[in-house]
Amino acid sequence: MSEKRSRAFWPLAIFFSLFVLFLYGPTLTVLVLSFQGPQGGLTFPMNGVSTHWFGVLWQGLGVVDVWAAFGRSFRLGLVVTVLTVVISVLAGLAFRRRFRGSTLLFYTAIASLILPSIAVSLGIALEFRIFDDFVKAYGLGGDGYQSAMGLFSSALGAHLTWTLPFGMLVMFAVFNRFDQAYEEAARDLGATPWQTFRHVVLPIIAPYLVGVALFGFTLSWDEIARTSQAIGGPNTLPLELQGLTTTVTNPAIYALGTLTTAVSFLVIALTLGTGLFLRARRMRGASDAGKGTL
């Protein structure tokens, strides 16, 4: 027999529905308006339905090289993802045991979560400008030296200040609940530390690594504030998209927004699919091992 809903259910349900509409309404609006007809504008009502503005986007918007910016953001996102996963795992392993200064190091590592993004960006830019002044003052960079700031230097550092704290917090939680009996059993069977990590620890934490990778890519893909002052070179796609809002006056910019959102959802879907595959594989392996002991 089903339990009767309380009087507060419907008001709370309506409130939650309005919250979801407020949260995703702008994205849905951009999605719908990106399919305006050739004579359509930036607002409702729609003047026909077509994929005309995606074709305009494919040909290039003329103001900036959108596809070059897309490639820069994608490559940067991949590098950030790999570094976030590797450093987070190493940090999680290091913090399994207490050591002198571990508490201070922990709070220092996650401090960027509460610092204003623009302050972090300006700080990174200032560090690289000081470094550039030092190199130029002593002639270390040669006559062609311009700046050390770039996509895979200052911008990469800015993105890691945003993605690493999330990845580290996930791995700290994972290793805090990790049963060390698995490692002890592997060592008792003669496994080396690397073999223990490769064949025991890594398969167990693999689904969580997929989650860390998802954090790394999606946070990097959409980042604007921390990149704005620290990139020092050609812009990433979010920065170009922000600039286009003041120059492009047709739904092609909505088509670009729909494309970037689709990439985000595609990455999420692939990540979730990989996580489910790894989990199913681990459960199948555990089931086979259990049958083998009977």
Side-chain angles (χ1 to χ4, degrees):
M1 185 175 182
S2 60
E3 184 178 352
K4 186 178 180 180
R5 294 192 176 107
S6 66
R7 294 181 177 180
F9 173 81
W10 290 111
L12 290 175
I14 294 173
F15 175 79
F16 179 74
S17 300
L18 291 174
F19 171 75
V20 172
L21 180 62
F22 172 79
L23 193 63
Y24 293 102
T27 302
L28 293 176
T29 301
V30 169
L31 173 63
V32 173
L33 288 176
S34 65
F35 290 95
Q36 280 267 31
Q39 305 303 320
L42 293 171
T43 59
F44 289 104
M46 294 182 66
N47 189 358
V49 178
S50 72
T51 58
H52 169 76
W53 299 108
F54 289 93
V56 173
L57 176 64
W58 181 258
Q59 295 171 3
L61 297 180
V63 181
V64 296
D65 191 343
V66 173
W67 299 111
F70 184 97
R72 287 192 293 269
S73 287
F74 191 79
R75 293 193 300 272
L76 179 60
L78 291 180
V79 175
V80 170
T81 299
V82 172
L83 291 178
T84 300
V85 171
V86 172
I87 297 175
S88 296
V89 171
L90 294 178
L93 291 172
F95 275 84
R96 295 182 74 183
R97 296 182 180 180
R98 302 279 296 183
F99 55 88
R100 187 182 299 274
S102 60
T103 301
L104 176 62
L105 183 59
F106 170 77
Y107 286 113
T108 301
I110 66 172
S112 62
L113 287 178
I114 59 175
L115 291 175
S117 299
I118 191 66
V120 175
S121 177
L122 288 171
I124 292 174
L126 179 60
E127 288 178 346
F128 275 84
R129 286 175 186 140
I130 293 174
F131 177 78
D132 289 341
D133 291 340
F134 174 82
V135 172
K136 292 177 182 178
Y138 290 93
L140 301 177
D143 296 334
Y145 182 82
Q146 297 294 327
S147 175
M149 296 180 66
L151 188 67
F152 295 107
S153 55
S154 56
L156 176 61
H159 282 214
L160 287 176
T161 63
W162 182 229
T163 62
L164 273 178
F166 287 99
M168 291 172 62
L169 288 174
V170 170
M171 295 315 303
F172 289 163
V174 169
F175 282 115
N176 187 53
R177 297 180 300 170
F178 193 87
D179 190 352
Q180 298 185 15
Y182 297 114
E183 297 169 281
E184 294 175 359
R187 288 193 292 267
D188 290 341
L189 293 173
T192 63
W194 168 247
Q195 290 174 327
T196 301
F197 175 78
R198 170 66 180 83
H199 298 288
V200 178
V201 178
L202 191 58
I204 294 175
I205 67 173
Y208 305 101
L209 298 184
V210 174
V212 173
L214 178 60
F215 269 123
F217 186 86
T218 55
L219 292 176
S220 172
W221 177 253
D222 296 328
E223 177 55 38
I224 292 180
R226 294 171 189 259
T227 318
S228 59
Q229 301 297 322
I231 190 167
N235 288 333
T236 57
L237 185 60
L239 290 175
E240 296 288 15
L241 182 58
Q242 184 183 43
L244 287 173
T245 57
T246 60
T247 58
V248 178
T249 57
N250 57 55
I253 191 172
Y254 292 153
L256 179 57
T258 298
L259 176 63
T260 57
T261 303
V263 170
S264 297
F265 278 107
L266 178 62
V267 170
I268 292 173
L270 291 175
T271 303
L272 292 177
T274 303
L276 292 174
F277 171 77
L278 292 174
R279 183 178 180 182
R281 184 178 179 181
R282 187 180 66 178
M283 293 179 64
R284 189 182 306 113
S287 176
D288 294 341
K291 294 178 181 179
T293 58
L294 296 178

